[in-house]
Amino acid sequence: MSNGIEALISRMIALGPSANLPPHMLLELFVSRLSFTLALVLGLAVAGCDRGAPGAVQESSASSAPTAQIDYTQAGSDIPDFRLEDIEGRVLKRSALNTPTLLNLWATWCAPCVKEMPLLDALAGEYEGRLKVLTVSQDMQGAEKVEPFFAANTFEWLEPWMDPKNALGFEIGGGVMPTTVLYDAAGEEVWRVQGEYDWSDEAARAAIDAAIAE
């Protein structure tokens, strides 16, 4: 662990402007970045997904994984600005969204994420014209992983949008995948779910119906 921290410090010192910071400011910057990284890793562990083995789909433990619930504590937060691309090079920007949106952060290596995808696809068809279901891959390899995944699955409504630098994931926060956030037409958060959730359940539809009816 100490070797990893020393390596991270060396990399940060070598970063252009950061190299000119006083020692105490450099330490604060290091602690901030290290804290965020630890939060992300711990969050993924709680969700049953481990970034340490991105080449394989990782199963969650039914005995240790918590039951995901709808969380209203961050209601009113604005949707982050973003610029996504699909496997064909098309671009989707935040400004293009003008309807209620269910934004899902997922990855091909995360078993709970993969399990949710068909449910989200069915949800997108059921709410066509009233709710946009936007699934955004957090796979760092981008199209290399996303394209074969979509080719192997027959999704009727979902589109292969990608965020390989995890910019949107960092902005939304939480460090857990899957993370799904419902935004209203104005781009304000209504509620979120962190972890695996049964999107075929009537409770999910009731929560969505109540939000888009307002």
Side-chain angles (χ1 to χ4, degrees):
M1 178 70 175
S2 61
N3 290 338
I5 294 177
E6 290 173 0
L8 182 57
I9 293 175
S10 297
R11 289 175 58 195
M12 292 177 63
I13 292 176
L15 291 176
S18 300
N20 298 321
L21 291 175
H24 70 283
M25 293 183 66
L26 184 61
L27 178 60
E28 290 176 2
L29 181 60
F30 162 68
V31 171
S32 175
R33 293 189 180 183
L34 180 61
S35 298
F36 179 82
T37 301
L38 289 174
L40 179 63
V41 171
L42 289 174
L44 289 170
V46 169
C49 296
D50 177 11
R51 272 193 191 275
V57 174
Q58 297 151 31
E59 297 292 343
S60 60
S61 170
S63 61
S64 61
T67 301
Q69 297 181 347
I70 293 177
D71 177 9
Y72 292 87
T73 59
Q74 298 190 55
S77 301
D78 291 332
I79 186 172
D81 194 17
F82 61 78
R83 184 183 185 279
L84 308 174
E85 291 189 11
D86 70 2
I87 58 179
E88 297 179 352
R90 294 183 303 167
V91 173
L92 177 65
K93 295 182 178 180
R94 157 70 183 93
S95 57
L97 297 182
N98 53 17
T99 60
T101 299
L102 190 70
L103 191 155
N104 171 266
L105 301 178
W106 71 286
T108 60
W109 46 262
C110 174
C113 304
V114 171
K115 185 177 178 180
E116 283 189 346
M117 294 292 276
L119 303 179
L120 291 168
D121 187 55
L123 200 67
E126 182 177 338
Y127 283 88
E128 181 190 11
R130 295 182 292 157
L131 175 74
K132 181 175 182 60
V133 178
L134 181 63
T135 53
V136 183
S137 165
Q138 301 294 285
D139 287 275
M140 298 182 69
Q141 299 93 335
E144 178 184 339
K145 294 293 184 180
V146 176
E147 185 170 10
F149 177 83
F150 267 75
N153 292 274
T154 54
F155 299 129
E156 185 175 355
W157 302 96
L158 300 185
E159 298 175 307
W161 296 107
M162 299 175 294
D163 176 32
K165 294 184 179 180
N166 299 163
L168 187 54
F170 291 150
E171 287 288 342
I172 289 177
V176 175
M177 280 198 292
T179 286
T180 309
V181 187
L182 178 64
Y183 293 98
D184 62 20
E188 292 188 355
E189 180 171 334
V190 181
W191 46 254
R192 66 175 55 198
V193 176
Q194 293 187 301
E196 182 181 339
Y197 191 72
D198 183 3
W199 296 103
S200 66
D201 189 76
E202 289 302 317
R205 283 160 172 73
I208 293 172
D209 289 340
I212 66 178
E214 296 179 358

